[in-house]
Amino acid sequence: MIPQPKAVIDKGGYVAIKSPAPTTSIDDSLPSEAYILDIDASEDGKVHVTGGSAAGVFYGIQTFRQRLPPSLLRRGSSATGPWELPAQQIHDRPRFAWRGVMLDVARHFMPLHDVLRFIDLAAFHKFNVLHLHLTDDQGWRLPIDGWPQLTVVGCWRRRTMQGSAQHELYDKRPHGGFYSRADLEEVVAFASERHMTVVPEIDMPGHMQAAVASYPELGNGAEVGVMEEWGISEHVLNMSDKTLGFCRDVLTTVCDIFPSEFIGIGGDECPHNEWKANPDVQRRMKELGLPDEDALHGWFVTQMASHLRSLGRRAFGWDELLACGDGIPADTRIAGWRGIEPIKMAAQRGFEVIACPDTAAYLDKRQSEDKNEPTPIGTVLTPEDIFAYEPVPAGLSKDEAGKVIGVQANVWTEHMESMRRVEYMAYPRLCAFAEVAWGKSKEDDTVAGFQDRLKHHVLYLDALGVNYRPLTGPRPWDARPDAPGKPRTMEYRMAKQSKFIADLLKH
Ligand code: ACM
């Protein structure tokens, strides 16, 4: 079973299970996501799940589904039972409150049914947050009241880079799409039925080239289309009243669609070169009495966080926000991604933090050194590497450690052109991440134990039709010689860490 339950008490003997649907009840003296799964030897084939809430019941049912034969997960099955299971009582509860997975639908648009499928698989692994990265330089994916060009211009690009940037290869095909409001409401409802919260993200004030392509007055004077390359665009939002009004309109619409307490406002990778060269931005900075562009960035974030607060929500953003000066609101939740250090720093500064370091939680990285791994970028990140990841950094006090309230795996889709590829990159690594997020009992915390569980678990992935990376390595059709990558070593990656830390220590 993945993730593995915390405590399994054997009662002795086997039970013939007649129905794959257990009876359920709620006992609110249990923690809300906890459950007890009772496979009872004394009463003929009786299986009961007691949850601390409906979410706990849901997790107990997922555990039970993973004890029954995999064939029962197929969309058609003639199996009728009974099924023999050991009589057991399972007591289980998660380690982390935020067990997230981020899906980037901006770099490659994923059709609605693919997003629903992604949610269904994540919920099966007891994740409870889908962070939906809805906008970026390469595409805008939702309609915003009063700003129609976003889904006329901003959601399409003429062509797409194939592989990483230095190869300068492109396909010859337009790409894009957007979700209607009804689509997104369906995503929210479908996730909620599976006890997942959808946390939408509108990345600002950088990663906004698709918006600037739609409304040039939001930018700093450059005439641009929707970006066709991978990398970080220089074309960011200006800081005019109109642009701030645009951002508030966007967040208001987003809050109308998504009930989540947290709303992602990005804040990462915003080059300040256009701001330095734009006299209007410089004038605004002076009028506000701000010393530099980092402070202006912080001021912008604070404006957006206040707007969210006026709508009864809280801001969620990447760890670059820590470099934005003193101003960012204390209730902002930080996603620490540039290695371990920013996670530690956010917790030490009193912010709630979600641990998603690129060194352990970025599923766009290659899964092995095999030359047939598709578009190999970054460092190698195997399921075993992920399994061994400990999200609470060493050296934190108990109170600071308590600020690490969750973990998240991030699926950036520059090099994932379809859900078939997303599944290849996500699984089985999300299985390892599920164990990190749900937490492991001491006796289950061995890589060999995880590898054994995984060998059995892939039978369930097979039954669900998941295009996971085979444990033996890529198949011939997984290779992408037409989209070459840029592999890196961990030494190369760690050499960049001191730059990130210097950036964060600026303020
Ligand atoms: C990020 O990977 N730019 C958050």
Side-chain angles (χ1 to χ4, degrees):
M1 262 172 305
I2 285 183
Q4 181 74 355
K6 300 279 159 37
V8 180
I9 302 159
D10 267 315
K11 301 199 220 173
Y14 280 79
V15 185
I17 308 291
K18 298 203 183 73
S19 164
T23 55
T24 67
S25 60
I26 291 179
D27 172 357
D28 53 22
S29 69
L30 289 174
S32 104
E33 293 188 300
Y35 68 87
I36 299 168
L37 168 61
D38 198 52
I39 302 173
D40 196 344
S42 60
E43 294 175 51
D44 185 29
K46 189 173 161 217
V47 178
H48 189 80
V49 178
T50 311
S53 68
V57 169
F58 178 81
Y59 297 130
I61 291 173
Q62 302 321 303
T63 298
F64 184 53
R65 292 171 84 199
Q66 291 190 30
R67 291 182 101 62
L68 290 170
S71 63
L72 289 183
L73 295 180
R74 291 187 181 269
R75 276 169 291 182
S77 170
S78 54
T80 52
W83 301 281
E84 282 243 307
L85 289 186
Q88 289 176 331
Q89 195 171 73
I90 293 174
H91 293 251
D92 203 10
R93 58 195 284 187
R95 176 178 178 195
F96 288 106
W98 175 303
R99 302 180 300 282
V101 53
M102 188 215 75
L103 180 64
D104 168 13
V105 291
R107 269 48 176 274
H108 278 100
F109 177 71
M110 300 290 157
L112 174 62
H113 65 88
D114 286 341
V115 177
L116 302 183
R117 152 85 168 179
F118 188 79
I119 290 170
D120 204 33
L121 290 175
F124 182 62
H125 293 87
K126 303 191 175 91
F127 287 92
N128 67 352
V129 173
L130 173 72
H131 167 180
L132 201 54
H133 183 79
L134 280 162
T135 65
D136 216 302
D137 298 315
Q138 295 86 359
W140 186 281
R141 304 286 174 231
L142 78 168
I144 300 296
D145 301 338
W147 299 87
Q149 292 300 98
L150 294 167
T151 49
V152 176
V153 174
C155 72
W156 295 106
R157 57 178 182 258
R158 278 185 323 146
R159 59 178 188 166
T160 297
M161 177 165 266
Q162 300 293 288
S164 46
Q166 75 282 7
H167 306 292
E168 296 183 13
L169 295 171
Y170 293 85
D171 67 7
K172 297 194 175 90
R173 251 179 116 181
H175 175 86
F178 70 95
Y179 306 104
S180 69
R181 193 181 171 114
D183 290 342
L184 293 171
E185 286 167 352
E186 183 178 348
V187 169
V188 169
F190 185 88
S192 166
E193 284 165 13
R194 288 154 183 77
H195 302 279
M196 285 184 82
T197 301
V198 182
V199 175
E201 182 194 356
I202 307 295
D203 208 342
M204 55 176 80
H207 285 287
M208 269 282 175
Q209 187 171 321
V212 174
S214 309
Y215 291 97
E217 64 270 33
L218 300 175
N220 294 279
E223 280 286 313
V224 293
V226 175
M227 195 169 170
E228 297 163 357
E229 294 74 33
W230 308 131
I232 305 167
S233 171
E234 285 290 322
H235 304 300
V236 304
L237 295 180
N238 65 38
M239 289 289 111
S240 69
D241 287 340
K242 177 165 186 182
T243 299
L244 266 76
F246 163 75
C247 293
R248 290 192 188 99
D249 286 352
V250 170
L251 293 178
T252 302
T253 301
V254 163
C255 288
D256 264 5
I257 300 172
F258 296 93
S260 162
E261 178 186 4
F262 288 93
I263 302 291
I265 55 170
D268 60 323
E269 297 178 325
C270 179
H272 294 159
N273 299 331
E274 283 193 341
W275 289 358
K276 289 194 170 95
N278 183 342
D280 293 335
V281 174
Q282 291 300 310
R283 195 172 317 115
R284 175 126 231 188
M285 208 167 89
K286 288 217 172 61
E287 278 164 15
L288 292 166
L290 297 170
D292 58 21
E293 289 76 18
D294 283 330
L296 184 64
H297 192 154
W299 172 81
F300 170 84
V301 168
T302 304
Q303 300 302 301
M304 294 306 119
S306 321
H307 182 61
L308 286 175
R309 194 175 299 125
S310 78
L311 298 168
R313 313 300 180 91
R314 288 170 63 184
F316 170 58
W318 301 107
D319 65 49
E320 278 88 341
L321 299 192
L322 297 173
C324 281
D326 298 331
I328 71 161
D331 69 349
T332 305
R333 196 169 272 186
I334 302 291
W337 73 277
R338 291 179 295 174
I340 305 298
E341 222 40 58
I343 297 162
K344 195 166 172 181
M345 216 175 275
Q348 285 170 333
R349 291 191 196 176
F351 290 102
E352 290 177 352
V353 57
I354 305 301
C356 52
D358 61 330
T359 45
Y362 268 44
L363 304 187
D364 53 346
K365 296 186 184 301
R366 62 209 157 107
Q367 309 198 48
S368 77
E369 297 281 15
D370 192 306
K371 66 180 181 6
N372 289 324
E373 292 295 356
T375 313
I377 59 161
T379 50
V380 172
L381 188 61
T382 65
E384 289 77 10
D385 294 334
I386 293 175
F387 179 80
Y389 169 55
E390 166 48 49
V392 177
L396 292 181
S397 70
K398 193 160 181 281
D399 281 355
E400 290 163 353
K403 294 284 180 188
V404 184
I405 47 122
V407 290
Q408 182 170 291
N410 294 335
V411 182
W412 296 106
T413 59
E414 284 94 332
H415 307 296
M416 301 180 210
E417 69 291 351
S418 68
M419 191 48 71
R420 188 177 81 77
R421 179 70 61 203
V422 167
E423 288 189 358
Y424 178 91
M425 298 303 281
Y427 291 95
R429 291 188 292 185
L430 267 183
C431 305
F433 208 80
E435 298 228 343
V436 173
W438 190 262
K440 313 156 197 165
S441 64
K442 260 209 163 47
E443 61 271 26
D444 291 325
D445 198 2
T446 67
V447 169
F450 167 68
Q451 285 169 329
D452 275 350
R453 286 197 285 286
L454 193 55
K455 273 188 213 135
H456 181 66
H457 188 73
V458 294
L459 303 176
Y460 292 83
L461 300 185
D462 283 331
L464 290 165
V466 182
N467 184 50
Y468 62 91
R469 177 190 180 277
L471 302 184
T472 48
R475 295 152 295 204
W477 77 327
D478 293 322
R480 287 295 308 269
D482 57 326
K486 189 174 188 181
R488 299 290 200 189
T489 61
M490 194 50 98
E491 290 68 39
Y492 174 90
R493 165 63 189 81
M494 293 322 286
K496 283 171 73 179
Q497 195 63 30
S498 49
K499 182 190 165 307
F500 293 151
I501 294 168
D503 174 28
L504 290 173
L505 287 174
K506 273 195 288 191
H507 292 279

